[in-house]
Amino acid sequence: MNRISHVVLCGRTGDGKSSIANMLVQGDIYRDRENLFNIGNAAIGETRELTYARDVRFGVFDLVGLGELPSGGVPHDVAIKNIRNHFSTNGLSLNYICYVKRNRITEEDIRLFNIFKKIFKEGEKNFVIIVTHTGPSWTDDEKNVDETKRNFGDYPVISVDFPSNIDEDYAEIDRKKRATNLQHLLAKLSELNYSGNNPEVLSSSQVIENNLSNIINALPVAGSLYQLTASGVYLMSGKPNVAKKRFMNGAFGIFLDVVSFGVGKPIIIVASISLRVTGDLLVTKT
């Protein structure tokens, strides 16, 4: 039985995520009937909500475009919240976590990529940069690859072009070009052959809680107990790596509290119970 590879496509509105999604799942971009993923253009994003479809080879997530203004179809902040909340509870193993962009690199591209990197930070070993509107030969020029890696990081770079001109005179030319580029994309993904990764994506509310925890952590005793409690909550919500980090912060904080402030016996007893219970849970879960 063939393994289904899950592909995440993230990037700016209009940079070609939906075109790639259609090519991977349905094998082409249709003019005469509805596509699985709506296709817009460079100026207008058609993906209003996170969309998923699959065939026998790929399960593809076409994410809401990043970087839209508040007046846009899906404002930037809403898009980030949408992505975070979905993948914080999705539970699927992700094989290729792709950032999709056009070939010209701008400061906005770098800013949005860094946001993408923060969202999926535990999935970096599965990152792929897909450069659109270029074609396979674009990466033959080492300058193009070097510039991309210099701005985004040392991740694999794949270049493709899936044109779909309105003018029917180009229909057959476009179809052949898409077929060639699809084979190129499939070959490059096959070369990578990434195993699945399940990054612990934090929901929008968990991001807020994590930021607040840095302030609470500075409080003697209360900060340490809070970290231990949070560790248990994250563990039960299926985020063992975050739980371990919070547990270590809480345990170290308790040590400093005892040494520096000489906290009373009741607090030490409560802290000891919290350490034992949370520690046992971490060992059991992992």
Side-chain angles (χ1 to χ4, degrees):
M1 184 175 180
N2 292 332
R3 180 193 68 180
I4 292 179
S5 295
H6 283 100
V7 181
V8 172
L9 300 171
C10 185
R12 297 180 70 169
T13 292
D15 274 9
K17 301 183 304 298
S18 299
S19 293
I20 295 171
N22 282 315
M23 295 302 299
L24 287 173
V25 176
Q26 64 189 28
D28 201 1
I29 297 171
Y30 304 134
R31 294 165 177 257
D32 56 348
R33 61 184 189 272
E34 186 176 350
N35 291 290
L36 287 171
F37 300 92
N38 292 332
I39 299 174
N41 56 48
I44 302 172
E46 284 293 337
T47 308
R48 295 291 186 263
E49 59 184 22
L50 191 151
T51 308
Y52 175 78
R54 57 178 283 184
D55 68 355
V56 296
R57 297 174 302 172
F58 295 104
V60 179
F61 293 92
D62 182 18
L63 307 192
V64 180
L66 300 178
E68 286 207 27
L69 298 173
S71 58
V74 181
H76 178 67
D77 291 345
V78 176
I80 293 175
K81 183 177 180 180
N82 178 308
I83 294 168
R84 280 194 173 280
N85 289 349
H86 181 86
F87 286 101
S88 69
T89 58
N90 180 273
L92 281 178
S93 185
L94 308 176
N95 298 84
Y96 304 99
I97 305 174
C98 306
Y99 189 79
V100 179
K101 67 168 304 303
R102 289 181 176 242
N103 59 331
R104 182 171 175 269
I105 298 175
T106 66
E107 290 298 322
E108 180 69 355
D109 289 320
I110 297 171
R111 183 183 77 86
L112 295 178
F113 177 79
N114 286 331
I115 293 172
F116 159 82
K117 190 174 179 180
K118 287 180 181 178
I119 295 173
F120 295 102
K121 64 180 180 179
E122 291 195 352
E124 278 198 57
K125 66 180 183 180
N126 292 64
F127 281 8
V128 180
I129 308 296
I130 300 181
V131 182
T132 60
H133 300 82
T134 56
S137 62
W138 188 84
T139 51
D140 292 341
D141 188 336
E142 292 184 2
K143 291 181 180 178
N144 292 332
V145 177
D146 290 344
E147 182 185 12
T148 303
K149 291 190 174 186
R150 184 170 63 253
N151 285 284
F152 296 101
D154 190 18
Y155 308 109
V157 181
I158 303 173
S159 55
V160 295
D161 186 18
F162 297 122
S164 182
N165 293 294
I166 296 176
D167 191 336
E168 288 298 324
D169 292 339
Y170 291 94
E172 184 61 18
I173 296 174
D174 286 354
R175 187 192 66 78
K176 290 180 178 179
K177 183 177 287 188
R178 290 195 301 269
T180 298
N181 279 262
L182 176 60
Q183 290 305 311
H184 172 71
L185 176 59
L186 294 176
K188 289 298 182 181
L189 293 179
S190 180
E191 287 176 13
L192 294 174
N193 193 30
Y194 283 161
S195 299
N197 187 349
N198 197 351
E200 294 181 12
V201 178
L202 298 182
S203 69
S204 55
S205 60
Q206 288 171 336
V207 171
I208 295 173
E209 187 278 329
N210 263 263
N211 292 334
L212 289 175
S213 74
N214 294 326
I215 300 174
I216 298 173
N217 194 42
L219 299 174
V221 182
S224 303
L225 293 177
Y226 179 84
Q227 294 288 354
L228 293 175
T229 302
S231 175
V233 173
Y234 277 106
L235 187 63
M236 299 309 294
S237 66
K239 293 180 169 56
N241 293 333
V242 178
K244 286 181 181 179
K245 181 179 179 180
R246 300 296 287 271
F247 176 78
M248 295 303 296
N249 287 343
F252 184 66
I254 289 295
F255 171 77
L256 291 181
D257 292 337
V258 172
V259 172
S260 302
F261 299 100
V263 296
K265 188 174 181 179
I267 297 299
I268 295 177
I269 292 173
V270 171
S272 298
I273 293 172
S274 296
L275 283 166
R276 179 179 295 277
V277 171
T278 308
D280 288 346
L281 282 172
L282 282 168
V283 170
T284 301
K285 290 284 186 178
T286 58

